Amino acid sequence: MQAVEEGGGGEERNARFEENDLDLEISKLRGRWELASVLNFLDVFGPILGKDLNLSAEDIEIGLVKPDASLARLHIQLLKGIPPVSKTLEDSDKWVTALCKNLATWWPWVAEGEIPLVPSKGVEISKYKELDPLDRLLLLKALCEVRAQQHDAVSYINDALKEGTQISTFRKDAVGRDGTGTSYWYDATSKGQSHRLYREIITSDSIPNDKDEECLSLPTIQWETLASNLEDFSKVAEKFAISKSAVEVAVSMKLQDDAIPALEKLRKKKERAIKQKQRQDMLLKKDFQNSHYSGNTRSCRTRRPISYTFVENHGSSEEDGVDGELGNLEAPSSHAVSYPKGVRCSKRLAGVPSHTILESRGLTAKQRLRQRPTRNSAMESINVSDSEDEAREGKRDLSEST
């Protein structure tokens, strides 16, 4: 028993460790400006990327840490817009090979440093899953840059600018910038599903130059994601509202006017959706329990079972058997139909069998007799042979003529 409890505790610790590890990797990704660039690219060029590409910022972050189907779908959608399009793009993980082939040509123009992954006869597929999440982010960022330089993307921007769209729609402006090199960036998707507040700090590092005996200053960029949900935005707005920096006060007012109301509306919408889903689940569970206790699996009318046997259709008892039925074949009916004179009626036309049915028939024959009517009840025959019919007609004609 103790071993089982220890095992269960170990699984819980592993789950907590994986969750903490995931949060740590996501926080590292949020400390890179490349992630903000990817999210902004997907929002700006969403109309030409396709309506089915509906991924949130959190989905992309999780996919970069743990490659999943959502991340694969994102890369495939981007690769479809970069000619030549591979025919095996939809195959399992073949998009990694197409990614490496495209970026191997474009890398010097869209990225810096050495490319993290190169084509290697299919080995690159397994290597991609072993990459650091930051390297996967760099590959995705470079792919977005290549996609932005395609003809349809450039035409989309030019046409929008001709129609009067502001350049700030495609190129973000900082919401605040002070004299120390600190800038604040607020980015929200067009559908309002994702809101982010970033802070960029630029510092200069001096490197001595032996020739001119002067120092060269190289900028160093530090990127930070300050807020990504309603709680974070509320804390930042409250903190910046009492700040001594005029830029931070202006940022606080911007958040209170735009970001926080939009996030509150989004939260209420999600809560209503969750409550509606819970009500539907409760109704389905209640209906299932009621049907289970009543013994019915579904609501339906109670129908009388259909039987095509002669006994049940005509109300005769089972004890009568075939003997009673055979006896009725030759017995005259009490509801005899009287025909006018001149009407020719015979046994064949009346539906009465002209031969005797043997009583020594088997069970199959008896069942067949029960399943079909043996007398035409709508008409009762007058048993007159054909020859007698002709003789009577001849006598009646003679009497009438005289």
Side-chain angles (χ1 to χ4, degrees):
M1 185 68 179
Q2 184 179 359
V4 174
E5 293 179 354
E6 291 178 356
E11 293 179 358
E12 292 179 358
R13 286 193 298 270
N14 292 334
R16 289 195 299 269
F17 177 77
E18 292 180 358
E19 184 177 358
N20 295 333
D21 189 37
L22 178 63
D23 295 338
L24 179 61
E25 295 296 335
I26 290 178
S27 64
K28 292 180 180 179
L29 292 176
R30 292 180 178 179
R32 300 297 296 260
W33 65 270
E34 291 87 353
L35 178 61
S37 177
V38 169
L39 297 179
N40 180 256
F41 168 84
L42 296 178
D43 181 55
V44 171
F45 294 95
I48 66 173
L49 296 179
K51 297 180 180 179
D52 55 340
L53 189 62
N54 187 16
L55 297 176
S56 64
E58 290 75 13
D59 295 335
I60 298 175
E61 292 171 348
I62 295 175
L64 290 172
V65 177
K66 295 181 178 180
D68 53 8
S70 299
L71 185 68
R73 183 158 54 92
L74 173 59
H75 283 82
I76 291 173
Q77 196 70 19
L78 293 173
L79 290 170
K80 285 182 178 180
I82 304 175
V85 181
S86 175
K87 296 180 179 180
T88 62
L89 196 60
E90 297 289 346
D91 296 344
S92 177
D93 295 333
K94 290 297 182 63
W95 61 269
V96 178
T97 303
L99 174 67
C100 294
K101 291 181 179 180
N102 280 276
L103 294 184
T105 305
W106 284 89
W107 188 263
W109 287 272
V110 297
E112 297 178 354
E114 186 179 357
I115 184 172
L117 193 64
V118 294
S120 182
K121 297 181 179 180
V123 183
E124 66 276 359
I125 296 177
S126 59
K127 287 185 176 180
Y128 179 83
K129 299 179 181 179
E130 299 175 357
L131 290 176
D132 188 81
L134 296 179
D135 292 333
R136 284 194 283 264
L137 174 61
L138 295 178
L139 293 173
L140 178 58
K141 167 64 170 54
L143 182 61
C144 292
E145 293 292 340
V146 177
R147 184 66 181 88
Q149 298 185 24
Q150 302 306 311
H151 176 71
D152 58 343
V154 176
S155 300
Y156 171 72
I157 296 177
N158 293 334
D159 295 341
L161 293 177
K162 291 178 181 179
E163 294 176 358
T165 304
Q166 299 296 326
I167 189 64
S168 59
T169 305
F170 306 102
R171 182 180 298 170
K172 284 291 181 181
D173 294 330
V175 295
R177 182 181 287 111
D178 57 16
T180 62
T182 301
S183 304
Y184 295 93
W185 304 81
Y186 169 65
D187 190 16
T189 57
S190 57
K191 296 182 180 180
Q193 299 296 327
S194 176
H195 297 258
R196 296 292 174 96
L197 177 65
Y198 307 105
R199 178 167 58 189
E200 180 186 19
I201 302 176
I202 301 178
T203 58
S204 298
D205 296 333
S206 300
I207 299 177
N209 190 354
D210 296 335
K211 296 181 180 180
D212 300 332
E213 296 182 357
E214 295 180 358
C215 295
L216 299 177
S217 59
L218 297 177
T220 300
I221 300 176
Q222 181 181 353
W223 191 266
E224 182 182 3
T225 301
L226 296 180
S228 60
N229 51 49
L230 179 58
E231 289 75 9
D232 294 341
F233 274 93
S234 300
K235 292 179 181 179
V236 172
E238 183 179 357
K239 179 180 178 181
F240 284 5
I242 58 176
S243 175
K244 296 180 180 180
S245 173
V247 175
E248 292 183 351
V249 174
V251 172
S252 175
M253 295 177 61
K254 175 70 174 178
L255 299 182
Q256 293 178 4
D257 294 339
D258 297 339
I260 294 179
L263 287 170
E264 289 177 348
K265 184 178 179 180
L266 181 61
R267 167 173 286 188
K268 292 179 181 179
K269 183 178 179 180
K270 291 182 178 180
E271 290 177 353
R272 287 195 300 267
I274 293 174
K275 291 180 180 179
Q276 184 178 2
K277 182 66 169 55
Q278 292 177 350
R279 287 195 298 267
Q280 292 177 354
D281 294 341
M282 291 177 62
L283 291 175
L284 290 175
K285 184 177 180 180
K286 185 177 181 180
D287 292 342
F288 176 78
Q289 292 177 350
N290 293 338
S291 61
H292 177 72
Y293 291 140
S294 61
N296 298 325
T297 57
R298 58 177 295 183
S299 177
C300 61
R301 293 180 299 173
T302 303
R303 294 181 174 86
R304 179 183 177 185
I306 301 175
S307 177
Y308 297 96
T309 60
F310 175 78
V311 176
E312 294 182 3
N313 289 340
H314 291 76
S316 59
S317 61
E318 292 290 343
E319 289 80 1
D320 293 341
V322 181
D323 297 338
E325 295 175 4
L326 295 178
N328 292 333
L329 295 178
E330 300 178 356
S333 174
S334 59
H335 304 283
V337 180
S338 60
Y339 295 92
K341 294 181 179 181
V343 176
R344 182 176 180 180
C345 182
S346 64
K347 293 182 179 181
R348 296 191 308 276
L349 298 177
V352 180
S354 59
H355 59 278
T356 306
I357 300 177
L358 300 179
E359 298 181 1
S360 60
R361 295 187 178 184
L363 180 60
T364 305
K366 294 180 181 180
Q367 293 178 351
R368 192 183 304 115
L369 289 174
R370 293 182 179 181
Q371 293 176 359
R372 63 186 181 186
T374 58
R375 183 184 295 275
N376 188 352
S377 59
M379 296 178 60
E380 184 65 26
S381 64
I382 301 175
N383 299 332
V384 181
S385 62
D386 296 342
S387 59
E388 292 177 352
D389 295 341
E390 296 174 357
R392 290 184 180 180
E393 290 177 0
K395 291 180 181 180
R396 183 165 54 251
D397 294 340
L398 293 174
S399 62
E400 290 177 356
S401 61
T402 55

